[in-house]
Amino acid sequence: MTAKPSTHSNPNRRPWLGVTWAIAAVLVLAGAGLGLWRAAHRPLPGALNPGAAMPGNVSDLQQALANARKSDEISRAANAELQKTLAQRDEENASLKADIAFYQRFVGANADHRPLAVQAVRMHQQAAVWRFEAMIAQNTNRDADNSGKFTLGLEGMQDGKLRKLAWSDLRQDAGSDGVPYDFKLFQRVSGDIALPPGFAPTRVLTHLQPVGGAAVDNSFAWKDVFEAD
């Protein structure tokens, strides 16, 4: 009898075939898992270098910061200028109120008759110079024009000795011969003087030289005219 080849598989080969398929499946799954893990952990474009992904962001922020700083500087400068202007207006208003009060006392029905004279003096230090203000007035002749030149001097101590300083000693511009005035009832005049180092004033000496008239001298204690900051 002729032998026929068997159509059944060899039972000894089946376990190895199963193992092979199992290993292949594990490798496929492992490869797929590795691919998914890499995809999940791959950095987004530009994550390592934000500036490269968004090149305009840094420059835009820097420009915005520069604009904000410039705006702040402008605001500060404007506020400082406003405060300076308000201080000047306050000073002008105070001076105007003082003039009105003086005028009311000076020309009122019960006002005393006062000949031409310096009625008041104020001294205020500004940096290296002293600012003076003097009120010149008269009410004996309300229709007369009063014009002339105003000067002042100082009396004080320097190096332990009494010293007098004339107008020419106090003025920085040597050519000035006085502050002009021209009024009917009163006028406020002002200017700057410079004190020599080490000089301690005790009195202010004012001098009026009217046009075509006799000179008028007045004096004021320094403590009464000095205005501290």
Side-chain angles (χ1 to χ4, degrees):
M1 179 179 294
T2 304
K4 295 182 179 179
S6 175
T7 59
H8 298 284
S9 300
N10 188 347
N12 295 328
R13 295 176 57 187
R14 290 180 180 177
W16 291 104
L17 184 60
V19 171
T20 301
W21 281 104
I23 292 174
V26 169
L27 292 176
V28 170
L29 292 175
L34 180 60
L36 292 174
W37 183 88
R38 287 180 175 177
H41 290 78
R42 182 181 298 116
L44 296 175
L48 297 179
N49 188 2
M54 297 175 289
N57 283 4
V58 174
S59 60
D60 290 345
L61 290 175
Q62 290 176 341
Q63 184 61 46
L65 180 60
N67 292 341
R69 288 176 176 173
K70 188 63 177 179
S71 177
D72 182 64
E73 291 176 1
I74 294 175
S75 298
R76 289 177 181 272
N79 183 63
E81 187 65 25
L82 176 61
Q83 295 300 324
K84 181 180 178 181
T85 301
L86 291 176
Q88 292 175 346
R89 293 296 179 269
D90 289 342
E91 184 177 351
E92 292 172 359
N93 290 337
S95 178
L96 181 60
K97 290 180 179 179
D99 288 347
I100 293 174
F102 178 82
Y103 179 80
Q104 291 174 341
R105 294 193 306 269
F106 199 70
V107 301
N110 299 324
D112 296 332
H113 290 286
R114 301 182 184 182
L116 177 66
V118 175
Q119 303 295 333
V121 177
R122 290 290 180 267
M123 304 291 298
H124 179 74
Q125 188 173 14
Q126 294 181 340
V129 300
W130 286 83
R131 183 75 175 173
F132 68 82
E133 290 186 354
M135 178 67 76
I136 310 171
Q138 69 83 31
N139 63 0
T140 56
N141 187 350
R142 301 188 180 187
D143 295 326
D145 290 326
N146 299 277
S147 60
K149 292 290 184 68
F150 165 88
T151 59
L152 64 78
L154 294 177
E155 186 179 90
M157 302 297 294
Q158 187 173 25
D159 298 329
K161 298 179 180 180
L162 180 64
R163 182 182 178 186
K164 287 186 178 182
L165 299 176
W167 176 254
S168 58
D169 299 322
L170 300 171
R171 292 289 293 181
Q172 294 180 334
D173 50 340
S176 174
D177 59 350
V179 181
Y181 64 84
D182 188 0
F183 65 94
K184 287 185 178 296
L185 291 176
F186 68 92
Q187 181 180 348
R188 185 187 300 273
V189 296
S190 61
D192 299 323
I193 59 174
L195 274 62
F199 181 80
T202 56
R203 297 194 70 80
V204 178
L205 311 174
T206 63
H207 180 80
L208 297 176
Q209 183 57 63
V211 175
V216 179
D217 294 315
N218 300 100
S219 66
F220 303 84
W222 179 263
K223 63 181 180 63
D224 295 332
V225 304
F226 167 67
E227 291 184 346
D229 291 333

